């Protein structure tokens, strides 16, 4: 079983930046792809970005493409989400997810089996 812990959320004004981290533990030899999702109040959980185990394949939601960058440090078992030019509509709880078979193009939450507890991101002046 994979354990995931997110960190790095907070309050930031519009146009600001944040970097989220997702630390993974309990990984086996099977390769795990990692994804970020977000959930705004009274909304469903939405795909944000995903990265393959090798780091070669990446996928972004259209709403964040060009502003967010997903990366991973395999030595630290950590995935990052660099978020620039933040907008009020980016306000949400951000979750990282892992799965041994999900692909970076799998944008449905049901495709991902392990989840972290989430970190709040609030974009407001």
């Amino acid at each position: 079983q994979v354990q995931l812990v997110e960190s790095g959320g907070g309050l930031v004004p519009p146009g600001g930046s944040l970097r989220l981290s997702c630390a993974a533990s309990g990984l086996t030899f099977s390769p795990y792809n990692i994804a970020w999702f977000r959930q705004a109040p009274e909304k469903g959980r939405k795909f944000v970005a995903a990265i393959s185990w090798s780091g070669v394949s990446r996928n972004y939601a259209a709403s964040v493409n060009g502003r967010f960058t997903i990366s991973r440090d395999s030595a630290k078992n950590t995935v990052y989400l660099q978020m620039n030019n933040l907008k009020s509509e980016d306000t949400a709880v951000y979750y990282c997810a892992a799965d041994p078979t999900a692909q970076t193009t799998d944008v449905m939450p049901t495709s991902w089996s392990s989840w972290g507890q989430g970190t709040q991101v609030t974009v407001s002046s």
Side-chain angles (χ1 to χ4, degrees):
Q1 185 70 20
V2 178
Q3 292 81 45
L4 303 171
V5 178
E6 303 96 334
S7 61
L11 173 64
V12 62
S17 297
L18 278 176
R19 189 179 78 158
L20 305 183
S21 299
C22 172
S25 61
L27 296 175
T28 69
F29 290 110
S30 299
Y32 278 80
N33 294 338
I34 303 290
W36 285 97
F37 287 77
R38 65 187 181 186
Q39 188 166 13
E42 301 182 359
K43 298 286 183 65
R45 198 164 293 190
K46 300 292 187 183
F47 174 82
V48 175
I51 188 168
S52 62
W53 178 252
S54 66
V56 172
S57 177
R58 307 181 192 196
N59 186 34
Y60 297 94
S63 59
V64 307
N65 197 22
R67 299 188 298 123
F68 291 11
T69 301
I70 190 170
S71 62
R72 69 191 301 158
D73 184 336
S74 296
K76 296 182 178 179
N77 276 345
T78 300
V79 171
Y80 304 99
L81 186 68
Q82 177 66 43
M83 306 186 295
N84 298 329
N85 190 23
L86 283 160
K87 305 175 181 180
S88 58
E89 52 262 44
D90 295 318
T91 294
V93 178
Y94 283 71
Y95 299 88
C96 64
D99 193 271
T101 61
Q103 302 301 304
T104 57
T105 51
D106 285 325
V107 301
M108 297 301 293
T110 51
S111 297
W112 302 84
S113 56
S114 298
W115 293 84
Q117 83 290 347
T119 186
Q120 176 71 47
V121 171
T122 302
V123 184
S124 175
S125 55

